[in-house]
Amino acid sequence: MGTVTWRLFADLAEVAEGREHTVSVDPDGTVGDAIDALLAESTGLRERIFDGDTIADDVNLMRNGSPADPTESVADGDELAMFPPVTGGR
Amino acid sequence: MDDVGPEGQKRLLDSRALVVGAGGLGSPVIQYLAAAGVGRLTIVDDDVVERSNLQRQTVHADADVGRPKVESASAFVADLNPDIDVVTHRTRVTKENVADIVPGHDVVVDASDNFPTRYLLNDFCRLQGVPIAHGAIYKFEGQVTTLVPGGPCYRCLFPEAPEPGTVPDCAATGVLGVLPGTVGCLQATEAVKLLLDAGDPLVGRLLFYDAMDMTFETAPYQRNPECPICGDDHVDSIDGIEYTSACAVGAD
């Protein structure tokens, strides 16, 4: 068992009620497992970030600062991030 | 300054920049591009100045309340630097008028406040080969990136906008007054760099600014070979794209 830290931006942090969430994943876990662990403690986030069974087009995943895919492995101590576009300017 | 010099100053004077939006982001962009001596500034905005704008829209003053923002912004530039030619369009940029507004500019600064305009500018400018200094804000956060031909475009990063209503806009949520000042200054910096062909612009990098934590971070992103706007099999025009809701590029 290891832990990874999620960082959430803009409205995602509001839906999940916090900008940072540390979750546990199995040693052979994936980014997808870490998403499941995050969703387990953040009700409402699933509806915001999923479009059907896949991550919505307007939500980007990163692992340790680089674009990531749900199928890739995570390691203990990884930093994962999820961000949407924002559009304000007025 | 060695990296600019008289040649660079001349280059700025010969440049044409389009600023879309004369609000929170547009104010510092207009101010600094005018102060830098960018020879022609085109300003597009359809709004009028309201008193509640003044906490962040710093080219407008109390006496401008009720005045079109393009007029107020134009007067600000004339006061600051009378050598600048200002062209104004009191309208929104739309699919119908974008081809009359954008061509002829060396750089576009996207200081708009809504997804349809941002996707329209991304798509049209990329197809025309015009670079964009992009900035956007949400409450206490900013996102800045620079979109140039050959680099990834905004759709490579976010293929479609969130469904309408998913992300509250600033008008609904409010925004820290000084936030667009910081983000707009970053956009102006990028625009000047593009005009001078200097430095390392924010291409393929998304900069996140968090005013509460006072942190700046950049995250890399790549070109998407399947991007409908800049990918290997991209569309030839924006004719088939709807800019009303999620700004999807249709499959047909």
Side-chain angles (χ1 to χ4, degrees):
Chain A
M1 187 73 92
T3 60
V4 299
T5 301
W6 275 106
R7 297 184 58 216
L8 304 175
F9 290 81
D11 67 302
L12 303 186
E14 292 163 12
V15 174
E17 297 180 336
R19 306 183 68 79
E20 289 202 0
H21 298 259
T22 299
V23 298
S24 298
V25 286
D26 288 338
D28 60 348
T30 62
V31 172
D33 295 333
I35 294 172
D36 289 341
L38 175 66
L39 294 177
E41 62 176 65
S42 308
T43 52
L45 192 58
R46 175 178 295 278
E47 192 184 342
R48 172 65 183 89
I49 66 171
F50 275 86
D51 181 6
D53 293 333
T54 55
I55 299 283
D57 268 351
D58 67 298
V59 175
N60 275 6
L61 285 175
M62 286 191 298
R63 174 173 163 261
N64 298 329
S66 296
D69 186 90
T71 59
E72 71 186 65
S73 302
V74 290
D76 187 37
D78 275 357
E79 183 189 274
L80 303 176
M82 216 182 299
F83 61 91
V86 299
T87 199
R90 286 163 62 91
Chain B
M1 194 161 74
D2 289 347
D3 290 333
V4 181
E7 278 177 29
Q9 200 60 61
K10 172 80 165 55
R11 196 162 169 164
L12 291 178
L13 193 61
D14 291 340
S15 297
R16 290 162 299 184
L18 168 63
V19 183
V20 179
L25 293 174
S27 287
V29 171
I30 291 163
Q31 179 170 12
Y32 277 98
L33 294 187
V38 172
R40 191 177 116 182
L41 282 180
T42 304
I43 304 170
V44 187
D45 198 298
D46 70 337
D47 211 359
V48 297
V49 179
E50 294 176 36
R51 186 157 279 112
S52 64
N53 300 151
L54 303 181
Q55 130 268 35
R56 62 191 186 283
Q57 300 186 13
T58 52
V59 295
H60 311 304
D62 196 67
D64 296 316
V65 171
R67 196 177 182 194
K69 288 184 182 176
V70 289
E71 270 184 30
S72 168
S74 177
F76 180 94
V77 173
D79 277 350
L80 176 66
N81 189 343
D83 293 334
I84 308 296
D85 291 329
V86 181
V87 174
T88 60
H89 298 278
R90 190 183 169 191
T91 181
R92 290 178 89 84
V93 180
T94 64
K95 194 173 157 181
E96 287 68 37
N97 66 20
V98 67
D100 298 325
I101 293 174
V102 170
H105 293 93
D106 302 303
V107 66
V108 171
V109 183
D110 183 352
S112 69
D113 63 355
N114 64 90
F115 285 119
T117 302
R118 292 183 183 282
Y119 280 83
L120 171 63
L121 288 173
N122 175 77
D123 297 355
F124 185 84
C125 289
R126 180 51 56 103
L127 294 173
Q128 295 283 319
V130 181
I132 297 178
H134 168 100
I137 53 176
Y138 181 81
K139 293 186 182 176
F140 305 101
E141 294 171 65
Q143 294 181 358
V144 184
T145 190
T146 300
L147 310 165
V148 304
C153 80
Y154 195 62
R155 282 194 194 270
C156 295
L157 183 60
F158 299 111
E160 290 183 21
E163 288 295 327
T166 310
V167 182
D169 63 21
C170 286
T173 62
V175 62
L176 179 71
V178 72
L179 172 69
T182 305
V183 173
C185 283
L186 293 170
Q187 291 177 268
T189 306
E190 287 293 283
V192 168
K193 283 164 59 186
L194 290 171
L195 293 174
L196 292 173
D197 194 20
D200 189 12
L202 263 177
V203 175
R205 295 183 288 152
L206 179 62
L207 184 151
F208 297 93
Y209 167 54
D210 186 319
M212 284 309 200
D213 293 347
M214 196 45 81
T215 52
F216 291 86
E217 297 174 73
T218 53
Y221 64 97
Q222 310 284 329
R223 268 188 79 194
N224 173 10
E226 293 172 14
C227 175
I229 300 302
C230 73
D232 298 333
D233 188 23
H234 63 79
V235 298
D236 294 324
S237 84
I238 61 168
D239 291 350
I241 308 174
E242 290 295 330
Y243 294 99
T244 49
S245 57
C247 310
V249 178
D252 55 359

